[in-house]
Amino acid sequence: MKHFYSYCEYFGEKPPKLKDLEEILYYIEPFCMYIENPKSNDIAYTIDFNCDWDSEHGMSRIIRNGEILYVGEGMVHFYLKAWENLDSYKNDVGNFVFNGKFV
């Protein structure tokens, strides 16, 4: 839920009031899942969402081995791959998982 509020705040959007985490499902819609070519036995993928608070860009999540590495502006897999080293995610200013935005 903190990813959601930080994302809205960053883009100057007013987030809808949610009573619980599941209510966010009313405001997002997954439209693309990009599965990276495997490296060793690791699993990595990007999910892109349409979302009510950023209809132009949407929102992306990059997940590797069950760990969320990126939450931010959509269609990120064009420039940030799921196999990047951890510093690539930490240095991306639009990533709401790192950079002190809600850690």
Side-chain angles (χ1 to χ4, degrees), residues 1-7 9 67-71 86 89-93 95-103:
M1 181 112 55
K2 59 188 175 182
H3 300 34
F4 165 68
Y5 288 118
S6 296
Y7 187 95
E9 181 181 305
E67 181 182 0
I68 298 172
L69 299 175
Y70 177 91
V71 173
L86 196 56
Y89 301 104
K90 290 179 178 180
N91 295 328
D92 188 303
V93 296
N95 185 356
F96 294 92
V97 175
F98 298 103
N99 298 321
K101 290 184 175 75
F102 57 78
V103 173

Side-chain angles (χ1 to χ4, degrees), residues 31-100:
F31 71 89
C32 178
M33 179 180 215
Y34 181 76
I35 301 171
E36 299 276 350
N37 289 326
K39 291 190 176 187
S40 67
N41 290 326
D42 293 343
I43 298 170
Y45 53 94
T46 301
I47 304 173
D48 290 316
F49 298 89
N50 290 320
C51 58
D52 287 359
W53 57 90
D54 190 351
S55 60
E56 182 180 352
H57 302 105
M59 184 175 87
S60 286
R61 284 186 177 219
I62 294 177
I63 301 164
R64 182 169 62 208
N65 293 329
E67 181 182 0
I68 298 172
L69 299 175
Y70 177 91
V71 173
E73 189 172 51
M75 303 304 287
V76 70
H77 65 270
F78 288 115
Y79 73 89
L80 188 62
K81 302 294 183 192
W83 299 115
E84 303 283 344
N85 67 41
L86 196 56
D87 286 340
S88 297
Y89 301 104
K90 290 179 178 180
N91 295 328
D92 188 303
V93 296
N95 185 356
F96 294 92
V97 175
F98 298 103
N99 298 321

Side-chain angles (χ1 to χ4, degrees), residues 12-30:
E13 299 290 335
K14 185 174 180 177
K17 295 188 180 195
L18 306 176
K19 293 179 185 171
D20 57 52
L21 183 58
E22 281 123 19
E23 285 185 16
I24 198 169
L25 297 175
Y26 295 111
Y27 302 96
I28 64 173
E29 177 184 21

